[in-house]
Amino acid sequence: MPDSITLLWTQIAEWLRKNAPLTFEKLNPPADDQALAELASELGTELPLDLVELLQNLNGSDGARGVTGIILLPPGYHMMDSSWIARDTRQRASIWGDAWHPTWIALGSDLCGGCLVLDTQPQPPYGRIFEFDKVDGPFGSTWASLNDLLTEMLALLERRAVGLAHRIPYNYPRAPDPVKVVVEDGELEWERGIGDRIPRSDRR
């Protein structure tokens, strides 16, 4: 049985406190009921329970402190707060039109036009997290759930291999890019390498 979002985040936050204290200091406090209600109203949908649970632990990270803010989520994204999630999701829907599904919620930003997306459609792949490239759309790595993303994040922080990430598009002839944790001057960073090619027999 997978760990809860709260338990996973508690372990991640403790790792950050000990190993990347400047990143830990830039984490926002939990979102309150009003912030969550406003987010649901802005998006015009009921919020997924896993997203609510995560925001109830931290309402994103502080992007205003420092030149580039804080890179928190692998493989290199800022976690948006509730107001940023609403604003960014609406903007992307306006820009991308039919290519941006109404069930998608932007969760993380790379500040260069790319984002992490939470897919809330009511049928599989409900709840998956995937990278959205500013040019190619869904492209990069995907996880089956927010729980899987945080599980992978904790494993990477602890220098363990889990391998929950998959490559999208699924027929792309390369494995997900390996990601390595780097802590510099007390701040967490993610270093993304080049994945090995998948043998033809292993391609989906």
Side-chain angles (χ1 to χ4, degrees), residues 2 5 8 14 51 61 80 85 87 93 109 168 180 182 194:
I5 297 293
L8 287 168
E14 180 62 15
L51 177 59
S61 51
M80 304 176 188
I85 289 173
R87 182 173 64 253
S109 171
I168 52 171
K180 184 174 72 173
V182 177
I194 301 299

Side-chain angles (χ1 to χ4, degrees), residues 1 16 32 36 40 48 56 65 70 76 82 91 123-124 140 146 148 163 183-184 188:
M1 182 176 179
L16 294 173
D32 57 23
L36 293 172
Q56 286 174 334
R65 297 172 57 184
I70 172 177
S82 57
Q91 289 175 345
Q123 65 273 356
L146 185 54
D148 275 6
V183 177
E184 186 171 336
L188 174 68

Side-chain angles (χ1 to χ4, degrees), residues 112-181:
C112 295
C115 67
L116 276 181
V117 176
L118 170 60
D119 189 353
T120 68
Q121 62 176 308
Q123 65 273 356
Y126 173 87
R128 69 172 179 155
I129 300 284
F130 62 90
E131 292 188 85
F132 188 91
D133 183 80
K134 65 180 180 181
V135 175
D136 297 311
F139 192 92
S141 294
T142 182
W143 294 264
S145 65
L146 185 54
N147 189 288
D148 275 6
L149 172 63
L150 295 181
T151 298
E152 184 104 70
M153 179 179 178
L154 180 61
L156 289 168
L157 293 175
E158 296 179 342
R159 303 297 200 273
R160 294 184 287 110
V162 174
L164 296 175
H166 299 279
R167 186 78 190 191
I168 52 171
Y170 287 113
N171 61 353
Y172 194 73
R174 203 176 78 201
D177 294 335
V179 179
K180 184 174 72 173
V181 174

